C-alpha cells in the first residue's frame, strides 16, 4: 500500500511528488517511502479542517464523537498485531514493547470516548457572581483547528495521546508525524476513515520538521499547536507561535534523575534502574539518565548493575528474546557514540558498553552503557543523550541528593527509591519535575497528567487535563433584570 498524505478525506501524494525513504533501523535498509510535503500541503489540510468544522463537526455532541473514538479504538485493536510489527520495522523498538504501545493506543481512544460523553453534561455550568441581575454560565468550546506535531520514539502512542483528546474536545486536526516513523500514524488515519470520521476532521501530512512541521507551527489558521519533540525544535516552534500570539503546549526533552537510598532492596533498585534507562533503548523523554546512589550501597549496587546491564540481550526488535533493539537512525547512533566518547574524554569512567555490540554492525545498535565519575559539567550529565546510556553518581545525605537531582536545565521526571514512606514523600515534594515516581520509574497512565517544567516544556497532556488543552473556556453572561441598566439612560 502506497503511503500518502490524508487531506480532506482523500489520499494524496506531496504536490512535488517527492518522497522520503523509510529505513528499517535493524538492517539499515530502505523498505518504503513517505511523501515529502511542505507549506502548500499544510495549507490544504488547514483549509479542509476549517471546512469540516463549519460543515458540522463543531456542533457535534460529545456522545457522537465518543462513538467514533470507540470505533477507532476497535479498529486499532483488530489490527494490533500487524501494527505492532510495522512499528518495530519503522522505529526499531522491541516487539514486546510495540505490543504494549498498541494496547496503550486502544485504551487512549476508549478513555477519551468516555471523557467526550462526560463533556455534554458539563456545559452551561452556572458561576455565582456578585450582581444578581446577571446570570453567568460556562461553556467548554473546541479550540478549533489544532496542529499536532509528534516524534518517532512512540509513534502511534504519541499520535494517540494527542489525536484522541483533540477529537474528544471537538477540534479538527492537522497531524504531522515524525519523518523517521510515520507508517503507523498513516494506518491510524485509514482506521479513522473506516470508522466513519467525517472528511477533513483528521488530516495527516508527512514531511521534514524544517519544512512541513515548521509550516504547521507558523500557520495562522491553526488555533493551537501541541508539540512533542526535542527542546531545540520546541524553541523554534515557540518562536513561530510567538509571531502569531498563538496558543502552544510543549512536551520536550529530559535528563531525569533517580535517587536510590540505602534502605532499598538492591534487586528491586536494579530492575527499576534498567526499566527507567533502557526501555525503548533509552529513547524516552522521561528516561532515567542519572542515577544517584547513597554511598553506603554504591559499590554493591554498581557491581550488580554492571552484570545486569551487560547481560541485556541486544538485537533486532522482531526477535522475541530481544530486550534492547537498535536506535532509530544512523545519525542517532552516531550522536550517542560521540557523546559517550566526549563524556569519557572529559573524565567519566565506562563501567560497561560504550561500543557497538559484536555481530551487530549492520543496523543502528549500541550497547547498554553505564558511566561512573561523571562531573557536573560533563556532557553526559548535562545533555539529553536519548540512547541506552546511564550516569551513576554517589551522594551521602538527602539534601545533597535532592540538590544533585535538581541540577539540570530539564524538569520532566524524577524518581526516588526508599522503603521509608515519609522520606519518599519529603523528597518527592522537593524534586523539580512534572512527574515523580516513587519506588518505580517510567510508568505512564492515560488517566494521569503528563508533562514537565523548566526546559522540558509546559502544560499537561493526558487525563482530563489533556482534553481541556483542546477546549477554550467561554463565559456567557445574560442581563436578566426587568429594570433598565441606567448608566447611559437616554430619558
Ligand atoms: P524532534 O524535535 O527532532 O522532532 C519532533 C517532531 O517535530 C518531528 O515530527 C519533527 O519533524 C518536528 N520538527 C522538527 N523541527 C521542527 C520545527 N522547526 N518546526 C516544527 N516541527 C519540527 O524530536 P525527535 O528526535 O523526533 O524526538 C526526540 C525528542 O522528543 C527528545 O528530545 C525527547 O525527549 C522528546 N520527547 C518528549 C516527550 C515528552 O512527552 N516530553 C515524548 C517523546 C519525546
Amino acid at each position: 500500500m502506497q503511503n500518502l498524505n490524508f487531506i480532506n478525506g482523500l489520499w494524496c501524494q506531496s504536490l512535488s511528488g517527492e518522497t522520503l525513504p523509510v529505513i528499517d533501523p535493524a538492517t539499515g535498509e530502505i523498505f518504503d517511502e513517505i511523501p515529502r510535503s511542505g507549506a502548500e500541503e499544510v495549507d490544504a489540510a488547514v483549509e479542509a479542517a476549517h471546512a469540516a468544522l463549519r460543515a458540522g463537526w463543531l456542533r457535534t455532541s460529545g456522545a457522537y464523537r465518543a462513538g467514533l473514538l470507540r470505533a477507532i479504538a476497535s479498529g486499532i485493536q483488530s489490527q494490533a498485531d500487524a501494527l505492532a510489527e510495522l512499528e518495530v520495522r519503522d522505529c526499531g523498538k522491541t516487539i514486546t514493547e510495540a505490543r504494549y504501545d498498541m494496547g496503550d493506543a486502544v485504551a487512549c481512544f476508549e478513555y477519551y470516548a468516555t471523557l467526550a460523553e462526560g463533556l455534554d453534561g458539563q456545559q452551561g455550568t452556572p458561576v455565582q457572581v456578585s450582581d444578581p441581575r446577571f446570570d453567568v454560565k460556562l461553556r467548554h468550546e473546541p479550540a478549533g483547528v489544532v496542529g499536532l506535531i509528534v516524534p518517532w520514539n512512540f509513534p502511534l502512542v504519541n499520535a494517540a495521546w494527542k489525536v484522541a483528546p483533540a477529537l474528544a474536545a471537538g477540534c479538527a486536526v492537522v497531524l504531522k508525524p515524525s519523518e523517521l516513523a510515520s507508517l503507523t500514524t498513516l494506518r491510524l488515519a485509514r482506521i479513522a476513515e473506516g470508522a466513519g470520521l467525517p472528511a477533513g476532521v483528521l488530516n495527516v501530512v508527512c514531511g521534514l520538521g524544517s519544512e512541513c512541521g515548521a509550516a504547521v507551527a507558523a500557520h495562522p489558521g491553526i488555533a493551537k499547536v501541541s508539540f512533542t519533540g526535542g527542546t531545540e525544535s520546541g524553541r523554534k516552534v515557540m518562536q513561530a507561535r510567538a509571531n502569531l500570539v498563538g496558543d502552544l503546549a510543549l512536551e520536550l526533552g529530559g535528563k531525569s534523575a533517580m535517587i536510590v537510598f540505602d534502605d532499598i532492596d538492591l534487586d528491586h533498585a536494579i530492575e527499576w534502574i534498567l526499566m527507567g534507562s533502557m526501555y525503548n533503548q533509552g529513547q524516552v523523554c522521561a528516561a532515567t539518565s542519572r542515577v544517584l546512589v547513597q554511598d553506603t550501597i554504591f559499590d554493591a549496587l554498581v557491581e550488580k548493575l554492571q552484570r545486569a546491564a551487560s547481560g541485556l540481550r541486544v538485537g533486532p526488535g522482531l526477535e522475541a528474546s530481544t530486550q534492547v533493539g537498535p536506535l532509530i537512525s544512523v545519525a542517532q547512533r552516531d550522536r550517542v557514540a560521540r557523546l559517550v566518547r566526549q563524556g569519557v574524554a572529559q573524565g567519566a569512567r565506562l563501567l560497561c558498553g560504550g561500543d557497538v555490540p559484536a555481530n551487530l554492525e549492520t543496523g543502528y545498535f549500541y550497547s547498554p552503557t553505564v558511566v561512573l565519575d561523571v562531573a557536573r559539567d560533563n556532557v553526559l550529565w548535562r545533555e539529553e543523550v536519548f540512547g541506552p546510556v546511564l550516569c551513576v553518581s554517589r551522594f551521602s545525605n538527602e539534601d545533597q541528593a535532592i540538590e544533585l537531582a535538581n541540577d539540570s536545565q530539564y524538569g520532566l521526571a524524577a524518581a526516588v527509591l526508599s522503603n521509608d514512606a515519609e522520606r519518599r514523600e519529603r523528597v518527592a515534594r522537593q524534586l523539580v519535575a512534572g512527574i515523580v515516581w516513587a519506588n518505580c520509574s517510567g510508568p505512564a497512565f492515560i488517566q494521569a497528567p503528563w508533562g514537565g517544567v523548566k526546559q522540558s516544556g509546559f502544560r499537561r497532556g493526558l487525563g482530563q487535563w489533556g482534553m481541556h488543552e483542546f477546549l477554550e473556556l467561554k463565559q456567557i453572561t445574560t442581563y436578566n433584570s426587568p429594570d433598565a441598566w441606567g448608566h447611559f439612560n437616554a430619558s
Side-chain angles (χ1 to χ4, degrees), residues 240-382:
R241 298 303 292 165
N243 289 336
L244 301 164
V245 196
D247 199 2
L248 173 66
L250 292 178
E251 295 179 34
L252 307 176
K255 191 76 201 177
S256 302
M258 174 195 274
I259 301 174
V260 184
F261 286 102
D262 65 1
D263 58 356
I264 198 81
D265 175 69
L266 284 187
D267 290 329
H268 176 94
I270 298 293
E271 187 177 9
W272 285 111
I273 290 170
L274 293 180
M275 184 70 188
S277 59
M278 301 298 163
Y279 195 88
N280 206 30
Q281 296 69 252
Q283 301 166 129
V284 178
C285 49
T288 296
S289 48
R290 298 179 295 139
V291 172
L292 313 172
V293 184
Q294 195 156 13
D295 46 15
T296 36
I297 56 164
F298 186 85
D299 292 340
L301 185 139
V302 162
E303 193 191 321
K304 266 184 185 272
L305 181 59
Q306 185 196 6
R307 257 183 283 129
S310 42
L312 290 173
R313 291 183 296 277
V314 184
L318 282 174
E319 283 178 16
S321 60
T322 294
Q323 292 173 297
V324 177
L327 303 191
I328 182 72
S329 65
V330 68
Q332 183 66 11
R333 199 266 316 272
D334 290 352
R335 178 176 180 275
V336 170
R338 176 174 52 74
L339 286 171
V340 171
R341 278 197 306 274
Q342 208 178 328
V344 170
Q346 290 173 357
R349 182 160 57 91
L350 267 179
L351 181 70
C352 60
D355 56 5
V356 172
N359 307 322
L360 287 173
E361 287 88 5
T362 319
Y364 311 137
F365 297 92
Y366 196 76
S367 300
T369 299
V370 181
V371 289
L372 308 177
D373 303 335
V374 187
R376 284 168 181 237
D377 58 354
N378 190 295
V379 67
L380 294 174
W381 180 270
R382 306 230 69 83

Side-chain angles (χ1 to χ4, degrees), residues 149-153 158 176-179 207-210 213-214 217 227-231 233 236-237 251-254 284-285 384 386 412 450 456:
I149 304 175
V150 292
W152 46 261
N153 57 341
N158 278 318
K176 210 302 271 174
S178 167
E179 58 272 36
L208 298 172
S210 56
F227 175 87
T228 299
T231 296
S233 316
K236 289 182 189 153
V237 170
E251 295 179 34
L252 307 176
V284 178
C285 49
E384 181 183 44
F386 225 56
L412 184 53
W450 183 269
S456 292

